[in-house]
Amino acid sequence: MKALEAIKAVSIFQQSVQDWHKKEAPHPNPFPEGSLESTLYQKNHIDTIQWHIEDEIRRPDIALEDVVALKRKIDKLNQDRTDMVEKLDDFVIDMFRSVTPKPDARLNSESPAWLLDRMSILELKIYHMEEQVSRKDASATKEHIAKCQAKLDVLLDQREDLKKCLDELFSDYSQGIKKVKVYRQMKMYNDQNLNPSLYKNQK
């Protein structure tokens, strides 16, 4: 499998964000099922849905029972997000399976898929900060617009840095300078056998 280029990953994340915002609703995945592209699109799709639920749960007028329901949706989405990250790491393992790491090959502190996770969420930050910069309503003061533009400039700079980090990491993997090693997250809070608040209350 050919190594993924950062510019392609960012493009897929952007497409997912834009597709969801056309109707502020789920959009069919345009990529072949089981492909790397489909997995990247679905990863951002999950992030986009969670982004808007996180917005909703912070409304001061929301009923307590709705808060509970939304929190459970967020927990489910967090688990889905982790599952998608692990699928992406599986793709990365396959990309570099034939590469023999050098004896002094180094490890990276985060897996490539968790770097892609940061890049996916960054595209949501950029999209919504661009919305703020483009606001025309009366409450959007010049000061507000200027502050948001300054933040947007930082986010755009971060996009370029993270793209470079991903490309350099994949280059290091391909040369055996770094070795691919993945740790699964092993989240416990959704597991009825690992979360004491769940298994102690089982009948």
Side-chain angles (χ1 to χ4, degrees):
M1 179 182 292
K2 183 180 177 181
L4 173 69
E5 293 183 352
I7 192 171
K8 181 177 182 180
V10 169
S11 175
I12 292 171
F13 294 152
Q14 290 171 336
Q15 182 177 349
S16 168
V17 172
Q18 291 163 5
D19 285 347
W20 192 93
H21 283 90
K22 288 174 183 176
K23 296 183 178 180
E24 295 196 354
H27 188 279
N29 194 317
F31 297 102
E33 185 176 355
S35 67
L36 173 58
E37 293 81 2
S38 175
T39 307
L40 288 165
Y41 188 94
Q42 183 63 21
K43 167 69 182 67
N44 181 269
H45 188 72
I46 292 167
D47 295 336
T48 304
I49 294 171
Q50 183 167 345
W51 177 285
H52 291 89
I53 293 178
E54 294 276 9
D55 278 351
E56 190 71 12
I57 204 172
R58 286 166 173 79
R59 284 174 42 200
D61 62 334
I62 194 168
L64 182 59
E65 58 268 26
D66 292 333
V67 171
V68 174
L70 289 172
K71 180 62 175 70
R72 287 179 176 166
K73 284 184 180 180
I74 290 169
D75 281 349
K76 174 63 166 59
L77 287 164
N78 271 328
Q79 186 62 59
D80 292 344
R81 172 189 172 204
T82 299
D83 292 344
M84 295 305 295
V85 168
E86 293 186 349
K87 283 186 180 180
L88 288 172
D89 270 331
D90 288 340
F91 278 107
V92 174
I93 290 170
D94 284 341
M95 285 177 199
F96 302 103
R97 193 177 297 278
S98 63
V99 177
T100 301
K102 295 180 179 179
D104 59 348
R106 305 186 307 273
L107 289 172
N108 209 52
S109 62
E110 65 180 353
S111 77
W114 282 109
L115 175 52
L116 285 163
D117 173 76
R118 292 169 60 197
M119 295 169 70
S120 172
I121 294 169
L122 181 63
E123 289 309 312
L124 283 160
K125 292 179 180 179
I126 290 172
Y127 181 93
H128 290 96
M129 197 61 71
E130 286 175 338
E131 278 189 332
Q132 292 301 310
V133 170
S134 301
R135 279 176 60 182
K136 303 296 184 184
D137 57 283
S139 60
T141 64
K142 288 183 179 180
E143 181 182 6
H144 173 82
I145 299 297
K147 286 182 178 179
C148 290
Q149 182 62 60
K151 292 178 180 179
L152 178 59
D153 291 342
V154 173
L155 293 171
L156 292 172
D157 190 42
Q158 187 180 8
R159 172 198 276 166
E160 295 307 310
D161 287 343
L162 291 183
K163 283 165 60 178
K164 183 177 180 181
C165 287
L166 185 68
D167 284 338
E168 288 180 348
L169 180 59
F170 282 167
S171 176
D172 287 347
Y173 284 155
S174 67
Q175 298 175 67
I177 297 172
K178 286 188 175 180
K179 55 186 174 182
V180 182
K181 189 172 184 180
V182 171
Y183 292 95
R184 302 307 185 186
Q185 290 298 300
M186 304 182 196
K187 289 189 179 293
M188 301 173 70
Y189 58 81
N190 283 327
D191 193 321
Q192 293 189 358
N193 296 314
L194 298 176
N195 181 341
S197 295
L198 296 178
Y199 64 70
K200 286 182 179 179
N201 288 298
Q202 288 180 359
K203 293 182 181 180

